[in-house]
């Protein structure tokens, strides 16, 4: 409590502590903000609980590793003449591609300690996904294709260790990812979509670590580096879609390898539960 020049007594926030263990008589907390550059947490100060909902929202960008074999293929021999009867050039060619898929990523992190009412501090269940593009230099039926749409889903565990405003985060996930590139052609009065994608979503495992910085009690920013391991595949799915009608065929094409280092940059937002604020003297 601070006395203003007018003589009025007002509260002033000087720090933020994170409770790590709750006991019947004494609880344990770790100082996150306060006591180094400004403010000082001392005996006799008031403490106000700042309860959160047991989940955080994470928004950010994600670079995912991509390897696609440069190869040229004539599709008519594999698909038959019927499906390609309106297409003059039946070849598909991958010339080159970017080393990463660029995706926007969204996570919901569930605090396992809070949900289970245990004394486990800062252990999180991570459920997330992302969508973006893979830069490509390719030709599909003689037309230039400059990118592929990219999707990613993941489920994992994360553990954080706080050192004042800095936190080390270690995370491991199982992930599913895939991509597709396509063109559209006019066939009479209909618009026909032709697309090619790996026939199955890639299953992989990621493991990595990173650093977070606490900006406010409710907002962290951070970055992480992962290694992603997935099996290679050369099985692709060819799609022809007219309106709601779809026709798919499997083809053998260049190998795809989604293993390698991945990078994430993000903002972590906690949601304060105003209905449960309590004050302790």
């Amino acid at each position: 409590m601070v006395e203003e020049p007018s003589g009025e007594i007002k509260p002033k926030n000087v720090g933020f502590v994170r409770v790590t263990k709750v006991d019947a008589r004494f609880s344990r907390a770790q100082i996150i903000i306060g006591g180094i550059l400004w403010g000082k947490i001392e005996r006799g100060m008031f403490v106000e609980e700042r309860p959160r909902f047991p989940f955080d929202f994470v928004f950010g960008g994600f670079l995912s590793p991509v390897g696609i074999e440069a190869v040229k293929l004539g599709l008519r021999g594999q698909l038959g003449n019927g499906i390609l009867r309106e297409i003059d050039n039946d070849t598909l060619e991958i010339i080159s591609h970017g080393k990463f898929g660029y995706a926007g990523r969204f996570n919901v992190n569930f605090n396992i300690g809070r949900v289970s009412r245990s004394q486990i501090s800062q252990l999180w269940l991570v459920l997330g996904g992302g969508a973006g593009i893979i830069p490509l230099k390719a030709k599909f039926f003689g037309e230039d294709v400059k990118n592929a749409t990219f999707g990613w889903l993941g489920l994992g565990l994360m553990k954080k260790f706080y050192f004042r405003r800095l936190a080390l985060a270690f995370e491991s996930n199982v992930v599913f990812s895939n991509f597709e590139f396509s063109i559209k052609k006019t066939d009479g009065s209909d618009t026909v979509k032709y697309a090619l994608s790996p026939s199955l979503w890639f299953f992989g495992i990621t493991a990595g670590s990173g650093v977070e910085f606490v900006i406010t009690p409710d907002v962290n920013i951070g970055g992480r580096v992962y290694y992603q391991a997935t099996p290679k595949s050369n099985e692709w799915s060819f799609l022809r879609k007219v309106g709601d009608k779809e026709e798919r065929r499997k083809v053998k094409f260049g190998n795809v390898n989604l293993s390698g280092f991945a990078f994430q940059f993000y903002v972590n937002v906690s949601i304060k539960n105003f209905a449960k604020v309590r004050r302790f003297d």
Side-chain angles (χ1 to χ4, degrees):
M1 304 302 292
V2 177
E3 184 177 1
E4 298 290 330
S6 63
E8 185 180 2
I9 304 297
K10 289 186 176 181
K12 177 182 179 182
N13 291 327
V14 297
F16 172 66
V17 300
R18 189 182 301 279
V19 176
T20 58
K21 186 177 182 180
V22 178
D23 211 332
R25 186 179 179 190
F26 293 107
S27 294
R28 183 180 297 273
Q30 182 182 12
I31 296 175
I32 303 297
I33 300 174
I36 296 182
L37 298 180
W38 58 83
K40 190 174 182 181
I41 297 174
E42 299 177 307
R43 289 181 182 273
M45 288 185 172
F46 295 99
V47 178
E48 184 179 77
E49 189 176 25
R50 192 182 183 89
R52 331 287 188 82
F53 288 101
F55 50 84
D56 287 357
F57 294 110
V58 181
F59 310 86
F62 190 65
L63 302 182
S64 182
V66 177
I68 308 173
E69 183 182 0
V71 66
K72 186 174 183 178
L73 175 70
L75 291 173
R76 195 177 301 274
Q78 295 198 42
L79 300 177
N81 294 331
I83 196 171
L84 297 175
R85 63 186 183 277
E86 302 297 333
I87 304 298
D88 296 329
N89 188 336
D90 70 340
T91 61
L92 169 65
E93 181 180 9
I94 301 291
I95 302 168
S96 64
H97 61 87
K99 294 182 179 180
F100 294 99
Y102 301 90
R105 178 170 170 173
F106 174 74
N107 281 5
V108 181
N109 298 344
F110 298 91
N111 192 320
I112 293 177
R114 289 282 309 283
V115 172
S116 63
R117 297 185 179 275
S118 72
Q119 297 294 318
I120 302 174
S121 177
Q122 295 300 303
L123 179 64
W124 300 80
L125 176 68
V126 179
L127 176 63
I133 64 170
I134 298 171
L136 278 176
K137 185 178 181 182
K139 286 190 176 294
F140 200 7
F141 299 144
E143 294 193 11
D144 291 330
V145 177
K146 296 183 179 180
N147 59 70
T149 56
F150 171 75
W152 180 96
L153 296 171
L155 176 67
L157 286 175
M158 175 181 61
K159 175 67 175 176
K160 293 183 183 181
F161 300 91
Y162 278 88
F163 304 91
R164 298 281 182 164
R165 282 179 177 257
L166 289 178
L168 296 179
F170 299 89
E171 184 177 339
S172 181
N173 295 273
V174 292
V175 298
F176 298 88
S177 53
N178 207 345
F179 61 90
E180 174 187 280
F181 53 93
S182 63
I183 63 169
K184 291 184 178 180
K185 294 272 191 178
T186 300
D187 183 3
S189 60
D190 296 321
T191 299
V192 184
K193 176 184 176 180
Y194 297 96
L196 199 70
S197 64
S199 59
L200 297 175
W201 280 65
F202 289 87
F203 170 79
I205 297 174
T206 71
S209 62
V211 177
E212 290 186 13
F213 180 77
V214 179
I215 297 179
T216 74
D218 300 323
V219 178
N220 292 8
I221 60 171
R224 292 184 196 150
V225 179
Y226 303 87
Y227 188 83
Q228 177 172 295
T230 64
K232 296 180 181 180
S233 176
N234 67 346
E235 292 188 355
W236 295 67
S237 175
F238 178 85
L239 167 69
R240 181 178 186 270
K241 183 176 181 180
V242 184
D244 295 331
K245 295 182 180 180
E246 294 185 359
E247 184 179 1
R248 286 189 179 272
R249 303 280 183 89
K250 288 186 177 181
V251 298
K252 295 287 186 179
F253 194 47
N255 278 316
V256 178
N257 182 10
L258 302 184
S259 296
F261 285 98
F263 304 89
Q264 182 188 8
F265 308 93
Y266 61 90
V267 177
N268 189 112
V269 179
S270 300
I271 307 299
K272 183 178 179 181
N273 187 346
F274 290 94
K276 292 189 177 182
V277 173
R278 293 184 294 169
R279 182 172 173 176
F280 304 90
D281 293 344

